């Protein structure tokens, strides 16, 4: 069985793609593949193999792993779930964004699909989580850890999250030769059939056209930073959104400019 591996920042569209594949009956690995990668608990994992490596390095490399971290025992262990199975399956993990060579070393025929979202909207969406009462901030950090994550911690959380966005997504550009698809979030939301059919056709080696009416309704929320929003993502259940009493104020013009200055040069390179 061939692995189609979704990567990208938290809140960048990887869950949307998973829901689309689920809706058309594709094989999908649950949640964020914790059972496969051993990435529990998420920010400081202890499971095998990625948690074992994280603990081995005492977190000094963040969540970053590369091809040299793979040994024969690990390769066999990780390939066992896919041996003697046909077809393909989709799994997504934001932490894979800083582990592209590691993934390709374990699964040479894997298809890497990177989701990229406008950084202002993406940073705001993560900012909501960072500032929520149940956000789970750990050691001043929330989200994927690049190797220099401790150096990125700031009193200004917007600046910190913009730096996080830049340094995590830089891995996509650095390893772009290993990435099969870069999916802009706004285009995935407005024209999902284009990208989904391209991915399936690429994986199956034949032109495939899937009826867009089978897809779940996709919300497009890139304007939340202008108006403010509930801490609960609007792609969650409507009841959860309505019941949430936590509201995050919109970004100021100065905050928008700061995110643009830090992130937009990279974003433009990724979507060109």
């Amino acid at each position: 069985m061939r692995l189609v591996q979704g990567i990208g920042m938290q809140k960048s569209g990887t869950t949307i793609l998973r829901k689309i594949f689920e809706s058309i009956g594709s094989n999908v690995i649950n949640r964020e593949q914790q059972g496969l990668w051993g990435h529990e608990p998420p920010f400081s994992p202890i499971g095998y193999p990625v948690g074992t490596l994280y603990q081995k390095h005492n977190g000094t490399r963040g969540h970053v792993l590369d091809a040299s971290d793979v040994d024969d025992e690990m390769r066999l262990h990780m390939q066992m779930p896919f041996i003697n199975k046909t077809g393909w399956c989709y799994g997504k993990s934001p932490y894979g964004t800083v582990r592209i060579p590691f993934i390709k070393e374990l699964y040479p025929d894997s298809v890497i699909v990177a989701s990229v979202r406008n950084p202002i909207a993406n940073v705001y969406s993560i900012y909501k989580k960072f500032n929520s009462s149940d956000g789970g901030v750990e050691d001043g950090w929330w989200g994927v850890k690049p190797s220099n994550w401790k150096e990125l911690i700031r009193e200004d959380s917007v600046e910190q999250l913009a730096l996080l966005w830049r340094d995590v997504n830089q891995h996509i550009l650095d390893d772009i030769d290993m990435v099969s698809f870069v999916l802009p979030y706004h285009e995935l939301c407005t024209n999902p059939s284009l990208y989904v059919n391209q991915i399936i056709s690429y994986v199956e080696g034949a032109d495939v056209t899937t009826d867009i009416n089978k897809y779940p309704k996709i919300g497009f929320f890139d304007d939340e930073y202008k108006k403010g929003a509930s801490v609960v993502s609007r792609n969650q259940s409507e009841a959860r959104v309505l019941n949430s009493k936590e509201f995050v104020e919109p970004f100021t013009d100065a905050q928008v400019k700061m995110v643009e200055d830090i992130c937009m040069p990279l974003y433009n390179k990724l979507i060109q």
Side-chain angles (χ1 to χ4, degrees), residues 125 128-129 131-134 229-233 244 246-248:
S125 190
K128 292 194 305 174
K129 188 70 174 176
N131 287 281
S132 68
S133 59
D134 64 346
S230 164
V231 296
V232 179
S233 168
S244 173
E246 292 185 80
F247 182 83
V248 178

Side-chain angles (χ1 to χ4, degrees), residues 3 68 79 151 159 172 179 186 189 193-194 197 216 222 230 233 249 253 266:
L3 176 64
S68 65
Q79 291 179 357
E151 300 168 18
E159 180 185 8
I172 299 176
V179 176
H186 63 284
C189 291
S193 61
L194 172 64
N197 288 335
D222 269 6
S230 164
S233 168
E249 294 296 324
D253 290 345
L266 175 60

Side-chain angles (χ1 to χ4, degrees), residues 206-256:
D207 288 339
V208 174
T209 301
T210 304
D211 182 4
I212 192 172
N213 293 321
K214 293 183 179 180
Y215 296 170
K217 183 179 179 181
I218 299 174
F220 180 58
F221 307 126
D222 269 6
D223 63 347
E224 283 190 330
Y225 74 91
K226 299 177 182 178
K227 307 171 185 177
S230 164
V231 296
V232 179
S233 168
R234 283 194 281 170
N235 268 323
Q236 301 291 327
S237 70
E238 184 175 350
R240 282 196 64 201
V241 175
L242 292 175
N243 289 333
S244 173
K245 300 198 176 356
E246 292 185 80
F247 182 83
V248 178
E249 294 296 324
F251 276 169
T252 65
D253 290 345
Q255 289 172 321
V256 170

Side-chain angles (χ1 to χ4, degrees), residues 37-187:
W37 296 111
H39 209 112
E40 281 283 340
F43 297 159
S44 300
I46 58 175
Y48 183 82
V50 302
T52 303
L53 292 168
Y54 182 89
Q55 298 301 326
K56 174 184 175 181
H57 299 293
N58 198 29
T60 57
R61 293 169 55 188
H63 294 136
V64 177
L65 296 172
D66 57 37
S68 65
D69 289 301
V70 177
D71 58 29
D72 291 340
E73 179 182 358
M74 184 187 301
R75 185 179 290 104
L76 178 61
H77 174 86
M78 296 300 290
Q79 291 179 357
M80 283 298 293
F82 301 94
I83 292 175
N84 298 325
K85 295 180 181 179
T86 59
W88 59 275
C89 66
Y90 175 80
K92 67 102 171 180
S93 173
Y95 308 100
T97 314
V98 296
R99 299 173 179 156
I100 297 171
F102 178 76
I103 296 168
K104 293 298 286 187
E105 183 68 20
L106 287 168
Y107 306 109
D109 67 341
S110 60
V111 177
I112 306 292
V113 179
S115 296
V116 179
R117 186 177 182 184
N118 178 291
I120 305 170
N122 202 171
V123 167
Y124 182 77
S125 190
I126 299 171
Y127 175 74
K128 292 194 305 174
K129 188 70 174 176
F130 189 92
N131 287 281
S132 68
S133 59
D134 64 346
V137 174
E138 180 181 294
D139 297 326
W141 194 263
W142 190 94
V144 180
K145 293 177 178 175
S147 58
N148 63 333
W149 67 277
K150 289 185 178 180
E151 300 168 18
L152 303 182
I153 294 175
R154 300 288 192 275
E155 288 188 12
D156 184 336
S157 58
V158 176
E159 180 185 8
Q160 176 176 320
L161 296 173
L163 294 169
L164 159 66
W165 190 99
R166 182 196 65 190
D167 286 13
V168 170
N169 281 292
Q170 182 65 45
H171 283 262
I172 299 176
L173 187 62
D174 290 345
D175 297 316
I176 196 68
D177 289 345
M178 301 181 188
V179 176
S180 300
F181 295 92
V182 175
L183 273 58
Y185 169 89
H186 63 284
E187 293 184 17

